[in-house]
Amino acid sequence: MNTELEPPRVPPLSAAERSRMRNQLMERTRPATRRPARHWVAPMVGVGAVAAVVAGTLVVTQNSPDEPGAAGTSASLASPEARVGVDLGAVPQGDVAKIVADCQFPGEGGPAQLVWSRHVRGITKDSSALVALALNTKRATAQPTVTRGGRKPGSGGAPSTAKLGYRYCMTRIPPSAKLGAVGAVGRVEDKAWQTEATAQRGLVALGTTDGDFTNDLTTLQAWRLYRAHPDVAKVEARYVLGGKTGPWTSGVVDGGFAYIEVQANGKFTVGQRLKTEVRAFDAQGRPVPVG
């Protein structure tokens, strides 16, 4: 018996099979490599918040990414810091006539037509305020530029920059000597009224003051009225005074308009101004650029 058997013939490999075997051999001989670990980096989005030009001062603030509402976070609509709010709801029916009357300049034909109004907190704990935007539907015979408290007739009509007849107004209730100015009315510039808010500029300032006082000069107040973009669902503001900032305060967003207000307590001097920082959020708590 012949035990020396010949190995079976192996058919030649095709070019594709040779290439596959070569790749497998090369793969096995390569040194092992570690895949880099994934690092999740939260996006950093700076949200510019611009206050209107007040007394020649433009206040700009920038939120850091870890502040509520920054992109990549699950922040709620209101900032946890904004524990103070100013909104008291709609103007009580019994006060509508009062705010309508206070939205007129002396000598005007009236009554003024309310465009927007709101009941908000006052400058003292035992007071509140009515704020409004209104339209004079009849041609004025005399309109001072801005008047407070005991208003006196002006001499002449509206300037060429405010011919449309829109105005902002505030009435403090109840009228009290300790409140300081008990009311204010001022023109909305035509250019401001006709400027539409956009996704890149969520707020357009229509009326503002940054130096309201109580008569004892212990409370300084700033407030502002805006046209608001539909994306804006929440506004917050805080004051900057002496290098220090006040608490974030929730404002009002309603019917395409917004109102913010801040107060500082201390001992102030007549003519002192309160700088203000403002920021806005959409309904999901994401920041909206305000300017």
Side-chain angles (χ1 to χ4, degrees):
M1 178 183 299
N2 186 4
T3 59
E4 296 182 2
L5 300 178
E6 294 183 1
R9 296 178 60 85
V10 178
L13 299 175
S14 66
E17 290 173 323
R18 287 197 300 272
S19 176
R20 179 176 56 81
M21 292 181 67
R22 184 183 302 110
N23 290 339
Q24 288 178 345
L25 179 61
M26 293 296 294
E27 183 68 23
R28 291 173 183 174
T29 58
R30 287 193 184 113
T33 57
R34 296 181 59 189
R35 293 186 179 180
R38 293 185 178 181
H39 297 281
W40 293 98
V41 181
M44 299 178 66
V45 178
V47 182
V50 182
V53 177
V54 180
T57 301
L58 180 65
V59 180
V60 181
T61 182
Q62 183 136 351
N63 290 350
S64 63
D66 58 349
E67 282 190 298
T73 69
S74 57
S76 60
L77 179 61
S79 165
E81 298 162 326
R83 298 174 183 175
V84 181
V86 306
D87 190 16
L88 300 180
V91 171
Q93 192 61 36
D95 291 323
V96 171
K98 181 171 181 57
I99 190 63
V100 168
D102 285 348
C103 282
Q104 290 179 233
F105 289 101
E108 268 188 349
Q113 175 186 330
L114 280 185
V115 176
W116 180 88
S117 62
R118 203 70 179 176
H119 188 202
V120 295
R121 74 169 180 175
I123 198 170
T124 62
K125 293 181 179 180
D126 56 352
S127 70
S128 61
L130 311 175
V131 292
L133 292 162
L135 170 65
N136 175 34
T137 57
K138 298 183 180 180
R139 193 169 188 84
T141 57
Q143 295 183 350
T145 302
V146 177
T147 56
R148 291 186 173 87
R151 296 177 294 179
K152 298 179 180 180
S155 56
S160 59
T161 56
K163 289 293 187 182
L164 294 177
Y166 289 95
R167 68 282 312 276
Y168 61 89
C169 33
M170 171 179 276
T171 294
R172 300 188 185 279
I173 53 176
S176 169
K178 69 179 180 180
L179 297 183
V182 295
V185 59
R187 294 190 187 91
V188 177
E189 295 290 309
D190 295 345
K191 182 178 180 180
W193 184 261
Q194 293 171 330
T195 300
E196 295 294 334
T198 66
Q200 292 72 41
R201 185 186 181 187
L203 300 173
V204 176
L206 300 176
T208 181
T209 180
D210 63 349
D212 281 0
F213 290 89
T214 51
N215 272 349
D216 60 6
L217 300 180
T218 59
T219 301
L220 177 59
Q221 182 190 56
W223 56 269
R224 189 169 297 117
L225 278 165
Y226 297 98
R227 185 188 300 281
H229 188 267
D231 286 349
V232 176
K234 181 77 175 180
V235 290
E236 295 179 352
R238 67 181 179 183
Y239 67 79
V240 180
L241 186 65
K244 298 181 179 180
T245 58
W248 285 108
T249 302
S250 296
V252 181
V253 179
D254 175 65
F257 298 97
Y259 170 84
I260 62 96
E261 183 262 352
V262 292
Q263 297 178 11
N265 298 312
K267 190 62 178 178
F268 304 103
T269 58
V270 174
Q272 198 165 349
R273 304 293 177 182
L274 201 58
K275 295 181 180 180
T276 307
E277 296 179 339
V278 182
R279 63 186 183 182
F281 302 93
D282 66 13
Q284 284 71 48
R286 297 171 300 200
V288 177
V290 299

